[in-house]
Amino acid sequence: MSTLPVTDLSRLCIHTITTKPWGIEEAAKKYAAGGVKGITVWRDALSGRNIKQTGEMLRQQGLEVVSLCRGGFFPNKEPDKRQAALDDNRRAIEEAFELGTGLIVLVCGADPTQSLEDSRKQIRDGIATILPEAKDAGVKLAIEPLHPMYADTRSAINTIAQANDMTEAFNSPWVGVAVDVYHLWWDPNLEKEIKRCGNNNSLLAFHICDWKSPTLDFLNDRGLMGEGCIPIRKIRSWVEAAGFKGFIEVEIFSTEYWKQDQSVFLKNIITAYKEYA
Ligand code: ZN
């Protein structure tokens, strides 16, 4: 049982993927009614919609659009596929602009048919290519380091130190880091590297959920806060000590929870947030 005071909802953001069965219109209505203040939008949730109007609808519900998820997936051995990825990132920048958010989260990508070093170089080149366009659109790019279990295909950036190295190399206010407790909780250098983010003024996003033991699926079995072994409040205290004042974003990919009544799930998210975030 947590003995700490409950966390109020003023900084609660939910990623639309968390309640995947809901369309974005229903999610917005239900989040707002539950007292949620921010929303992060999965690009798939915009499919078939007028993006500008969708952004207006979200703001009418009182929701701040915290970020668009996701850009990235830069590496590929084939040059034409790298080009396709750049084009897709350019579309993501346009979508973020239309939606009215100033942040894109980058899942940087990896290609298992080449070395991680090659993938990292292509990530660097990819970000460098789209950076001027992101800046023109007023959209920041957050490099999200992913747990090393995803190093084969999802991201060659697997520690916050790597994300900080890359951010420092760009030395641009338009590139920073997304800290997701699911990917980073195990890292013995986490506190130190979060501090480094703070010193660079580059901590752009903070994502929470929990790590279930056992985890039955490495992609879609994330836990509700308090259900696993991640010291969420401790990590949050580091993030805040580093000067982060943004939204605390619940991002739960879970086949199990997507099967539940999403209204019940949303209630459970809010209860868990108050107690464990
Ligand atoms: Zn995340």
Side-chain angles (χ1 to χ4, degrees):
M1 272 287 255
S2 168
T3 50
L4 290 161
V6 297
T7 302
D8 75 65
L9 303 184
S10 60
R11 292 170 63 201
L12 170 58
C13 165
I14 300 180
H15 188 313
T16 58
I17 198 70
T18 303
T19 55
K20 187 172 146 186
W22 280 342
I24 192 168
E25 296 79 10
E26 187 174 9
K29 235 179 263 170
K30 298 274 173 66
Y31 293 0
V36 178
K37 301 296 179 200
I39 187 167
T40 273
V41 178
W42 187 247
R43 286 177 74 198
D44 291 355
L46 296 171
S47 152
R49 270 94 170 165
N50 178 308
I51 296 176
K52 205 164 172 229
Q53 282 171 7
T54 303
E56 280 158 16
M57 177 276 290
L58 296 174
R59 279 180 288 279
Q60 273 161 16
Q61 291 287 356
L63 295 168
E64 185 171 331
V65 188
V66 175
S67 65
L68 181 69
C69 198
R70 57 196 186 190
F73 285 97
F74 298 105
N76 202 290
K77 215 171 183 174
E78 309 292 332
D80 56 329
K81 291 198 175 139
R82 291 203 296 278
Q83 185 57 49
L86 291 174
D87 293 342
D88 187 57
N89 277 278
R90 293 187 169 110
R91 277 193 296 278
I93 292 167
E94 280 167 29
E95 288 170 20
F97 179 78
E98 284 175 32
L99 193 63
T101 181
L103 185 65
I104 291 176
V105 174
L106 297 179
V107 172
C108 290
D111 180 347
T113 70
Q114 66 185 9
S115 71
L116 285 168
E117 289 77 14
D118 285 348
S119 284
R120 286 175 197 134
K121 183 182 178 306
Q122 291 168 3
I123 291 167
R124 239 183 349 261
D125 292 349
I127 294 173
T129 305
I130 63 165
L131 186 52
E133 288 154 70
K135 186 180 163 188
D136 284 349
V139 174
K140 292 186 180 185
L141 304 172
I143 299 168
E144 178 167 20
L146 258 52
H147 192 284
M149 68 184 173
Y150 301 121
D152 58 342
T153 55
R154 285 195 170 75
S155 186
I157 308 292
N158 306 106
T159 64
I160 180 173
Q162 288 174 312
N164 278 336
D165 288 346
M166 200 170 280
T167 297
E168 284 176 4
F170 280 109
N171 190 24
S172 160
W174 300 94
V175 180
V177 178
V179 169
D180 186 326
V181 300
Y182 188 74
H183 297 298
L184 303 178
W185 69 278
W186 55 272
D187 186 340
N189 294 316
L190 186 56
E191 183 178 11
K192 188 178 87 186
E193 292 292 331
I194 286 175
K195 230 177 247 171
R196 187 175 157 205
C197 259
N199 293 340
N200 292 337
N201 214 5
S202 64
L203 216 168
L204 301 180
F206 180 50
H207 301 170
I208 61 168
C209 66
D210 215 334
W211 184 283
K212 285 160 78 176
S213 297
T215 290
L216 302 178
D217 181 293
F218 281 158
L219 193 58
N220 293 322
D221 191 30
R222 297 193 190 187
L224 202 54
M225 296 75 75
E227 211 176 22
C229 54
I230 300 180
I232 299 171
R233 282 197 165 175
K234 191 200 260 179
I235 298 173
R236 179 183 164 188
S237 74
W238 296 341
V239 160
E240 286 174 359
F244 181 77
K245 294 188 177 66
F247 279 90
I248 298 160
E249 180 175 333
V250 175
E251 181 188 51
I252 303 173
F253 290 73
S254 167
T255 309
E256 189 190 322
Y257 287 130
W258 290 331
K259 283 189 221 152
Q260 281 187 5
D261 177 331
Q262 297 296 286
S263 292
V264 173
F265 180 39
L266 177 61
K267 249 185 224 151
N268 292 340
I269 289 170
I270 291 168
T271 303
Y273 179 86
K274 286 178 178 166
E275 183 112 357
Y276 297 104

